Amino acid sequence: MRDDLIIRRETPDDTAATEALHDAAFGVPEGRSESVERELLRGLRADGSVIDELTFVAELDGEVVGHVVCSRGSLAGEPSVGLGPIGVRPDHQRQGIGAALMMAVVASADQRAEPAIVLLGDPEYYGFFGFVPASDLGIGSPGEWEDRYFQAKPLRAWRPQMAGDFRYAPAFDRLG
């Protein structure tokens, strides 16, 4: 990872850069004007679901090259954290930027006494950060994904009695 990488909280001035970053990182499907991730990000922001203290950008030489957003979901009816989207500009991928963003989220969520972070993603990648299939913790998936892709990381505040069904922020349900 580069020594000059800065991880900082997202500000309103980062909106255009982060939206363009997700389009570049994930691609814009044919017939769409934006990536699904950008649509999700805009929905999360419009709904007020973004957890500002857990949403970060990675900056190199004054340019936003990575971004992670966390939003308020619910676990067994109690507030919980859903992570995603997370993206790194294609010309800066595989340099540890995504890992630095993940570590910032995990450390900050733990410090805020969040019980767990939930995400949908590659078990090989996220396993490195301590994520396990959410079902192993008794967390029910809100979708029809294989167990290994719907993952959670229990933090220090986690207690097994907190288990239950997880619901993402409403913007996730509106994705087409």
Side-chain angles (χ1 to χ4, degrees):
M1 184 166 42
R2 295 175 52 158
D3 293 337
D4 55 347
L5 180 69
I6 296 169
I7 303 294
R8 62 172 175 77
R9 286 207 10 221
E10 176 189 64
T11 69
D13 292 341
D14 297 316
T15 300
T18 56
E19 288 182 0
L21 180 145
H22 287 288
D23 280 352
F26 294 99
V28 177
E30 192 171 328
R32 291 185 56 105
S33 60
E34 63 187 6
S35 63
V36 172
E37 291 75 13
R38 183 177 189 166
E39 177 186 347
L40 174 59
L41 181 57
R42 284 189 310 102
L44 292 170
R45 286 176 173 152
D47 292 348
S49 298
V50 172
I51 303 171
D52 294 334
E53 297 83 3
L54 299 179
T55 297
F56 298 95
V57 296
E59 191 176 81
L60 280 175
D61 303 320
E63 286 189 61
V64 172
V65 297
H67 181 240
V68 60
V69 62
C70 288
S71 56
R72 187 56 70 197
S74 68
L75 178 58
E78 296 297 321
S80 189
V81 176
L83 186 148
I86 180 172
V88 175
R89 234 174 54 188
D91 58 331
H92 286 82
Q93 291 176 357
R94 307 217 183 289
Q95 296 177 25
I97 294 170
L101 289 166
M102 285 297 300
M103 288 186 275
V105 167
V106 170
S108 297
D110 207 22
Q111 185 177 32
R112 287 172 42 94
E114 298 286 354
I117 302 169
V118 176
L119 61 78
L120 184 63
D122 178 3
E124 300 293 318
Y125 182 76
Y126 293 105
F128 174 81
F129 303 101
F131 283 81
V132 298
S135 60
D136 290 359
L137 300 171
I139 298 174
S141 175
E144 298 296 319
W145 308 292
E146 282 185 51
D147 274 358
R148 63 192 197 108
Y149 294 110
F150 183 65
Q151 301 168 70
K153 176 171 178 55
L155 302 173
R156 286 180 298 174
W158 173 256
R159 301 293 177 266
Q161 59 269 29
M162 295 174 168
D165 288 339
F166 180 82
R167 299 275 320 160
Y168 279 108
F172 283 86
D173 293 332
R174 292 193 305 267
L175 291 176

